[in-house]
Amino acid sequence: MRTLFKNIKELLQVRNEAVSFLSGDEMKELPTIKDAYLLVEDGLISDFGPMADCPEVQTDEVIDASGKIVLPTWCDSHTHLVYAGNREGEFVDKINGLTYQEIANKGGGILNSAKKLQETSEDDLYEQTKTRLDEIMALGTGAVEIKSGYGLTLEAELKMLSVIKRLRANHNLPIKATFLGAHAVPHEYKNNKGAYVNHIVNEMIPLVAEGNLADYIDVFCEEGYFTVEDTERILEVGKQYGLVPKIHVNQFTSIGGVQAGVKYNALSVDHLEEMRDEDIEALKGTQTMPVALPGCSFFLSIPYTPGRKMIDAGLPLALATDYNPGSSPSGNMNFVVSAACIKMKLTPEEAINAATINGAYALGLQDEVGSISKGKRANIIVTKNINSYGFIPYSFGANQVEAVYINGIKI
Ligand code: NIG
Ligand code: FE
């Protein structure tokens, strides 16, 4: 099967050489080709260039992309897509002034979602999650990470991971699974958190690994949740089972989570709303990708990750949605890219790099997605007729995505 996209107004993120991720000043540049073609063969990008060089080849389909911009699909490296019901009730508490912690303390929060999830059948959970996955794909997401963490019992955590496995079998975009047993301390362990950590390391991790149910391991390293010591213990055991860390750190407090992530070679450290200078220093020269989640800052009215400062300090940065019922009930990467420009002062070039190439790295999928490169999957967005790519973040809240192709097939 061969498809030719021709007369593309501008083709974004074209990379001839393999790039694993972009840091500092490298993020300012977004390579593009104006008036371009893109050739797709059997789901992969086989060629691209200026229209003047468009080859005369037999094709099964020709798509005229006149007036439209084509770019790689968004790579969303941090979501909690599997959840039951929602937490709309807490939304009003939040409007009335209660903080995230106050809502959690009065019986809301993660434990509220865990209770609902435990009572929901796997089939029902699958259907609820599938709806969200279809929704984010239509908004341009072409690779995604999904976490467990609303089960908090062995049975319910395995149920979540099994839903992710089914999604992967029934959808053609790449999906990475993360085990987040250490998302909150369940009620039963309220006065004995150590016993829950023991349960995670002694029972949960071995079974998750044995069933090959996760690629990554996560911990909510935060005051009132899991300490740096708990985090390191979990990451140490995860490592023995081949689970690479991608962790929640510095959302509300800077307690050393970034340093723990770096120590355990985390693929990414995510949130980072509260960053001290020493946290920025700790990330320099490492292979750990910092991930900002501006949808969460927007929804909770908490500070935004100091992305401008981090990039100016030479760090890389990725952007993700954190799609979840409590702190970011939206999986819209277009909005995330806008918010990164408007609130974190990234340029459109930096934000698009952060949401494509660097997001692919934070997913461990830099060889498959994230750029227009020969041999990568033809996971692409075709925009509506727009003047320039800057219009995507500028027109916040609107949807400039006209069509999404996954492995060269229109969804
Ligand atoms: O990434 N901070 C921890 N976990 C989620 C929120 C979970 C929830 O409130 O349900 C997050 O923001
Ligand atoms: Fe999260």
Side-chain angles (χ1 to χ4, degrees):
M1 170 83 179
R2 194 186 263 160
T3 308
L4 175 70
F5 295 80
K6 63 171 195 182
N7 302 325
I8 301 165
K9 184 184 170 88
E10 193 165 6
L11 180 63
L12 309 189
Q13 196 61 291
V14 292
R15 304 272 172 180
N16 290 314
E17 255 117 80
V19 197
S20 63
F21 63 82
L22 302 164
S23 310
D25 283 348
E26 295 166 347
M27 291 187 69
K28 291 188 168 54
E29 234 170 279
L30 178 68
T32 77
I33 301 174
K34 288 193 169 141
D35 192 20
Y37 74 91
L38 173 70
L39 194 61
V40 174
E41 280 183 76
D42 298 328
L44 302 179
I45 296 168
S46 66
D47 200 7
F48 57 88
M51 270 313 281
D53 300 339
C54 187
E56 299 262 342
V57 285
Q58 280 257 304
T59 51
D60 301 286
E61 195 183 5
V62 177
I63 292 153
D64 187 355
S66 299
K68 299 170 199 308
I69 286 171
V70 171
L71 67 154
T73 45
W74 307 125
C75 297
D76 192 351
S77 65
H78 182 139
T79 83
H80 306 250
L81 212 60
V82 186
Y83 60 82
N86 60 55
R87 302 225 297 272
E88 219 184 303
E90 295 174 14
F91 182 51
V92 177
D93 284 342
K94 200 173 71 70
I95 292 167
N96 289 334
L98 264 62
T99 65
Y100 183 79
Q101 270 91 345
E102 284 165 347
I103 290 169
N105 293 343
K106 74 176 254 253
I110 297 168
L111 296 182
N112 178 352
S113 289
K115 186 169 181 295
K116 281 197 194 113
L117 189 136
Q118 287 160 11
E119 290 162 356
T120 304
S121 73
E122 185 181 313
D123 285 345
D124 189 1
L125 197 56
Y126 174 82
E127 289 305 326
Q128 292 186 38
T129 310
K130 183 190 177 304
T131 304
R132 284 187 284 271
L133 182 57
D134 290 337
E135 173 210 338
I136 64 169
M137 287 173 76
L139 287 165
T141 295
V144 67
E145 179 257 19
I146 310 177
K147 299 173 193 299
S148 72
Y150 287 120
L152 307 182
T153 64
L154 178 59
E155 189 196 345
E157 284 292 307
L158 294 177
K159 176 165 72 181
M160 291 186 78
L161 292 168
S162 159
V163 165
I164 301 173
K165 197 174 168 183
R166 280 169 69 181
L167 292 167
R168 193 185 280 148
N170 298 333
H171 287 72
N172 56 2
L173 83 169
I175 297 176
K176 291 285 188 179
T178 300
F179 170 62
L180 175 54
H183 197 192
V185 181
H187 284 305
E188 315 81 270
Y189 291 93
K190 203 170 134 204
N191 299 314
N192 194 2
K193 189 182 60 177
Y196 184 57
V197 175
N198 286 341
H199 183 42
I200 291 174
V201 300
N202 295 330
E203 277 96 35
M204 290 188 178
I205 294 178
L207 278 178
V208 167
E210 195 180 291
N212 211 358
L213 291 169
D215 304 287
Y216 303 120
I217 186 156
D218 193 350
V219 177
F220 186 15
C221 179
E222 186 56 61
E223 267 174 23
Y225 294 83
F226 296 89
T227 62
V228 170
E229 207 188 354
D230 299 328
T231 303
E232 293 201 353
R233 190 159 165 236
I234 292 165
L235 298 190
E236 184 65 46
V237 176
K239 187 167 137 191
Q240 288 158 22
Y241 285 90
L243 296 169
V244 174
K246 273 176 79 64
I247 58 177
H248 282 74
V249 296
N250 296 43
Q251 182 175 6
F252 302 110
T253 51
S254 166
I255 57 171
V258 170
Q259 289 74 2
V262 168
K263 180 172 164 193
Y264 282 88
N265 293 316
L267 178 59
S268 70
V269 285
D270 303 26
H271 273 290
L272 313 175
E273 289 88 342
E274 296 294 336
M275 287 291 270
R276 296 186 202 179
D277 288 344
E278 57 257 45
D279 301 322
I280 293 181
E281 282 306 311
L283 285 164
K284 285 188 181 166
T286 72
Q287 298 297 302
T288 298
M289 176 64 67
V291 179
L293 309 166
C296 172
S297 300
F298 175 78
F299 189 76
L300 294 185
S301 303
I302 61 173
Y304 287 81
T305 301
R308 179 72 273 141
K309 189 175 172 188
M310 290 162 68
I311 293 173
D312 288 345
L315 293 184
L317 188 75
L319 291 167
T321 63
D322 198 16
Y323 198 174
N324 78 75
S327 71
S328 183
S330 161
N332 188 342
M333 280 295 285
N334 306 285
F335 173 73
V336 163
V337 168
S338 281
C341 293
I342 298 162
K343 294 294 185 180
M344 293 163 52
K345 308 289 178 218
L346 269 63
T347 62
E349 292 79 11
E350 288 171 327
I352 293 172
N353 280 324
T356 55
I357 285 213
N358 284 1
Y361 177 86
L363 278 158
L365 288 169
Q366 65 273 21
D367 296 333
E368 279 185 51
V369 290
S371 66
I372 302 295
S373 307
K374 287 182 195 172
K376 281 199 181 180
R377 290 177 184 239
N379 289 13
I380 58 170
I381 293 172
V382 178
T383 68
K384 295 174 183 164
N385 283 39
I386 55 176
N387 262 331
S388 71
Y389 59 78
F391 196 71
I392 301 170
Y394 166 79
S395 60
F396 81 95
N399 181 9
Q400 304 305 339
V401 176
E402 182 171 275
V404 176
Y405 292 79
I406 301 290
N407 303 331
I409 295 164
K410 192 172 175 179
I411 62 163

